[in-house]
Structure formats: C-alpha cells, structure tokens
Amino acid sequence: MMDWKDVRVQLIDTPPITADMLDPVVSSMARACDAVALVVDLADDDCVSNTETVLEKLAGVKTRLVGTFPEVVDDPGLEFVKTILVANKSADPDAEVRLEFIREAFANRFPIITLDAESGKDVEALRDALYQILDVIRVYTKRPGKPADMENPFTLPRGSTITELAGAVHKEMAETLKSAKLWGTGVTDGQSVPRDHSLHDGDIAELHAG
Ligand SMILES: Nc1nc2c(ncn2[C@@H]2O[C@H](COP(=O)(O)OP(=O)(O)OP(=O)(O)O)[C@@H](O)[C@H]2O)c(=O)[nH]1
Ligand SMILES: [Mg+2]
C-alpha cells in the first residue's frame, strides 16, 4: 500500500513482460487496474526497444497503455489503461543520454517521471504522479449532529455525484437516499444539494436516507 496524504493506494508489482513472456495474469491485471506505471531501466542500452516490446505484447492482447484516453474508439474489445512511464536508475552515468531516447520515443504518449529508486531521489514525485493519474477525489462523510469523519475519505472518480457517493457508502444507500447536505467547494456550509450534485476533492457530505 502507498500512502498519499490520507488515501491509501494499492500497488501491485508484476513479473516482467518480455518478447517471449507475457503471463496472462499480468495482462488481465493490466486490463483491470486503474493505472499502470511502466518502469523503464535507464541503465539498460536496450531500454527503448524493451519498452516497445512491452507495449506491443500488451497490444497483442488488446490492451493499450495510454497517457490519456482516446476520444474515439472503433474497436470495443480494446482496453485502454492510463499509464505513466517511470524512468528508473537516473543516477546511472549514461542515464541522461538514454532518457533523451526515451523522451523521443514516448514523451508524446505518456507522462514521464524520472527517479532513482536506489538512492530514493525523486521518489516522492512518483507518489504524487501515481495519485494524480488515478483522477479521484476524496469525499468525507458525517452523521447528522456528529463531526465529520476526517480519517477515512471515500475516493471516487472525479466528477462523481452525491448518488455515487451514497452507492460507495452502502449499496442500498444509493436508492434510499432522500437528501444530502454539503460542506466544501461551491456551496454554503450545510447546503442541501440534489442527488446529481457533482462533488469536489475535500467535500464533506451528510447523507439522509428515507
Ligand atoms: N543502481 C540502481 N539499481 C537499482 C535501482 N532500482 C533497482 N535497482 C536494482 O536493479 C535490480 C533489479 O531490480 P528489480 O526490482 O528486481 O527489477 P524488476 O524490474 O522488478 O525485475 P523483474 O522482476 O525481473 O522484472 C536489483 O538488483 C535492484 O537492486 C536504482 O535506482 N539504481
Ligand atoms: Mg520485479
């Protein structure tokens, strides 16, 4: 688990993908996850072609790693997965040169984060980048007459509504929800909001079931 402020993000390390090895477990994980960190070894002269191989192998099972989702998709069988490229071993003497090749090949496709895992240099930036790519917001809940629970936010896709928050709190809540009060962005404290109200990061909601 990776902590980002008050949120925990699950990271799953996978076996490698090579020209002659793609474990089906790895490709199904890539398809099911919220985002992929594509790790590149800046100490490896073949880092560009190895990375291309990984992308091709996944594309072979209809899994496309992308920096941003395409606007139009003509093949419904294709799975697009948000990805950041993580260029590791930046302290290697030739890392700078290889990074240039990596940028040339991939900067138009993925955000690129450079770091050195061994020394820990720039690892904090990866933490932020991984959280940002998930594109989620944190919403806190409170019970009527009680202070808000500021320890355990619900994380929801950006743009989620009160109804979606209710569904995350409890499956039935999405149906039984009668009204909601909100503290946070764009509302006065405790304002009643409709079910389709869009939530913002840091909002506090009080849900009332019928
Ligand atoms: N110099 C240096 N070595 C590193 C760095 N990060 C990882 N290593 C070393 O690189 C080697 C491979 O690291 P792993 O974490 O096993 O790499 P991996 O990509 O998971 O390897 P597979 O699981 O076989 O795909 C280990 O000996 C690490 O100690 C780094 O930033 N700098
Ligand atoms: Mg490994």
Side-chain angles (χ1 to χ4, degrees):
M1 300 302 289
M2 177 190 87
D3 287 319
W4 186 90
K5 298 188 180 171
D6 52 2
V7 179
R8 306 189 80 201
V9 179
Q10 184 184 25
L11 304 181
I12 301 174
D13 183 27
T14 67
I17 298 172
T18 63
D20 43 29
M21 183 171 57
L22 171 58
D23 188 325
V25 172
V26 176
S27 49
S28 48
M29 250 194 273
R31 293 169 72 87
C33 69
D34 295 311
V36 161
L38 178 61
V39 181
V40 171
D41 181 354
L42 290 178
D44 179 3
D45 276 331
D46 299 327
C47 59
V48 170
S49 64
N50 284 346
T51 303
E52 263 155 9
T53 299
V54 170
L55 296 171
E56 281 162 20
K57 291 292 278 189
L58 287 171
V61 290
K62 297 206 158 207
T63 306
R64 293 274 175 84
L65 304 191
V66 292
T68 50
F69 292 124
E71 276 170 26
V72 186
V73 180
D74 22 26
D75 180 352
L78 277 182
E79 192 72 43
F80 292 87
V81 190
K82 278 266 207 80
T83 298
I84 51 174
L85 190 153
V86 179
N88 184 33
K89 305 197 191 178
S90 61
D92 184 274
D94 297 317
E96 203 56 41
V97 185
R98 297 190 189 105
L99 182 59
E100 265 322 297
F101 289 120
I102 289 290
R103 286 212 176 100
E104 244 168 66
F106 303 111
N108 62 342
R109 295 163 70 180
F110 310 112
I112 297 176
I113 294 275
T114 308
L115 55 81
D116 191 71
E118 195 177 58
S119 65
K121 186 173 181 291
D122 301 327
V123 168
E124 278 306 307
L126 174 65
R127 199 187 288 274
D128 286 339
L130 286 174
Y131 180 76
Q132 298 306 334
I133 199 175
L134 294 175
D135 211 19
V136 292
I137 55 171
R138 294 164 297 164
V139 179
Y140 303 84
T141 52
K142 73 184 284 301
R143 292 180 189 283
K146 296 267 169 64
D149 175 3
M150 298 308 285
E151 302 275 293
N152 299 296
F154 287 88
T155 52
L156 303 166
R158 190 175 300 285
S160 290
T161 63
I162 290 284
T163 306
E164 280 144 357
L165 170 66
V169 171
H170 196 281
K171 242 185 276 169
E172 281 169 24
M173 188 68 163
E175 278 145 42
T176 58
L177 181 72
K178 281 287 172 295
S179 62
K181 289 180 176 177
L182 199 64
W183 289 254
T185 302
V187 291
T188 55
D189 282 355
Q191 185 179 324
S192 291
V193 291
R195 300 175 63 110
D196 63 352
H197 178 88
S198 289
L199 293 158
H200 296 88
D201 189 50
D203 281 355
I204 301 169
E206 184 179 285
L207 305 177
H208 296 256

